[in-house]
């Protein structure tokens, strides 16, 4: 298995996205607020929220993903309170999306909050997101209990899977276009042609992306002719290649 990552800020700005690669758990997180946070050391609330979420998933790799989503949301609320912010108020809020997978032997679990995506690429060249992305935001982890209502999760088989792509919208949306312009097939083709850097369509937004690639299935070994099969093919007798010296009786006239 091969894992490729990409984490880049928008042109001339701080990167508000984060990612986690920890044992069999992989995730990307898109911080969604742009204003610097009070007492945040100059960092934005979105960057802090994304870092909190990524650390939660990196610490407890065996816990259910839904439980980790809940814990990340709770820790974001706690951090806001520690920074003197009221989590019940709408602004200024910290928030992040989340797209996470946990690999198993024959299947993978996944969890999504917001507009980051998980795209599965199969051996036959087809690709599909684990959940279709709708226009606009689909909720964020922002410390409010209602955030958990935006969680989508599931389990998918690994049979026939060649790549799993996790990405924030900096990898997905061309510059000056909206969410409706996402072309998953184009993203996948650019990735297959040149890896994650080639797949990036936008330089005006942060990007966090992970590509998990699986080796092609091993080809079955060619069957070789064995002496037993050869004897069967010639009628059950082994031939030495030496002419027979068996005496023959006299010819009848």
């Amino acid at each position: 298995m091969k894992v490729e990552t990409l984490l880049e800020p928008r042109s001339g700005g701080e990167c508000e996205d984060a990612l986690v690669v920890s044992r069999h758990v992989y995730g990307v997180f898109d911080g969604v607020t742009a204003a610097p946070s009070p007492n945040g050391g100059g960092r934005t609330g979105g960057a802090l929220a994304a870092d909190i979420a990524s650390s939660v998933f990196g610490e407890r790799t065996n816990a259910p993903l839904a439980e980790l989503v809940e814990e990340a949301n709770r820790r974001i609320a706690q951090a806001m309170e520690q920074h003197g912010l009221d989590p019940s108020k709408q602004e200024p809020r910290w928030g992040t999306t989340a797209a996470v997978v946990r690999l198993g032997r024959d299947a993978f679990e996944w969890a999504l909050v917001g507009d980051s995506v998980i795209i599965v690429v199969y051996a036959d060249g087809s690709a599909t997101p684990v959940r279709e992305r709708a226009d606009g935001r689909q909720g964020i982890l922002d410390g409010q209990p209602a955030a958990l209502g935006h969680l989508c999760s599931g389990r998918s088989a690994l049979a026939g899977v060649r790549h799993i792509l996790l990405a924030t919208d900096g990898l997905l949306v061309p510059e000056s276009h909206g969410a409706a312009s996402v072309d998953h097939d184009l993203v996948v083709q650019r990735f297959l042609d040149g890896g994650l850097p080639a797949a990036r369509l936008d330089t005006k937004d942060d990007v966090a992306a992970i590509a998990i690639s699986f080796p092609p299935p091993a080809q079955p070994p060619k069957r070789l002719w064995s002496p037993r099969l050869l004897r069967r093919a010639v009628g059950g007798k082994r031939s030495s290649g030496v002419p027979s010296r068996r005496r023959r009786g006299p010819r009848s006239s």
Side-chain angles (χ1 to χ4, degrees), residues 152-177:
C152 292
S153 60
R155 181 180 176 89
S156 301
L158 281 172
V161 175
R162 287 298 311 279
H163 310 279
I164 300 176
L165 305 181
L166 302 91
T168 60
D169 58 6
L171 191 79
L172 303 170
V173 185
E175 296 177 14
S176 304
H177 289 69

Side-chain angles (χ1 to χ4, degrees), residues 28-191:
V28 296
F29 308 89
D30 184 0
V32 296
T33 54
S37 176
N39 304 320
R43 304 191 67 205
T44 67
L48 294 169
D51 283 351
I52 291 170
S54 66
S55 66
V56 168
F57 283 90
E59 291 168 0
R60 300 179 56 199
T61 57
N62 292 320
L65 294 184
E67 181 180 317
L68 295 180
V69 168
E70 183 177 0
E71 181 175 343
N73 195 57
R74 182 173 60 251
R75 286 201 196 177
I76 290 171
Q78 292 173 347
M80 290 175 64
E81 292 177 346
Q82 292 171 358
H83 283 74
L85 301 175
D86 185 350
S88 65
K89 292 184 179 180
Q90 189 64 30
E91 296 293 345
R93 296 203 60 77
W94 298 6
T96 182
T97 69
V100 187
V101 300
R102 176 191 285 112
L103 299 182
R105 178 176 298 179
D106 302 314
F108 68 95
E109 302 170 63
W110 56 269
L112 284 169
V113 178
D115 59 6
S116 296
V117 299
I118 302 170
I119 304 174
V120 182
V121 185
Y122 294 93
D124 62 2
S126 63
T128 182
V130 297
R131 182 197 63 177
E132 289 293 340
R133 179 184 179 188
D135 294 350
R137 295 198 319 178
Q138 299 175 349
I140 57 174
L141 298 178
D142 60 358
Q144 294 191 10
L148 302 179
H150 299 292
L151 170 65
C152 292
S153 60
R155 181 180 176 89
S156 301
L158 281 172
V161 175
R162 287 298 311 279
H163 310 279
I164 300 176
L165 305 181
L166 302 91
T168 60
D169 58 6
L171 191 79
L172 303 170
V173 185
E175 296 177 14
S176 304
H177 289 69
S181 299
V182 173
D183 186 339
H184 295 111
D185 292 335
L186 175 60
V187 172
V188 169
Q189 189 57 57
R190 290 167 69 100
F191 162 72

Side-chain angles (χ1 to χ4, degrees), residues 1-23:
M1 187 180 78
K2 176 184 176 182
V3 178
E4 180 184 0
T5 63
L6 178 66
L7 182 63
E8 292 182 355
R10 61 187 179 275
S11 300
E14 176 196 6
C15 186
E16 292 186 295
D17 290 4
L19 55 79
V20 60
V21 175
S22 181
R23 295 180 62 186

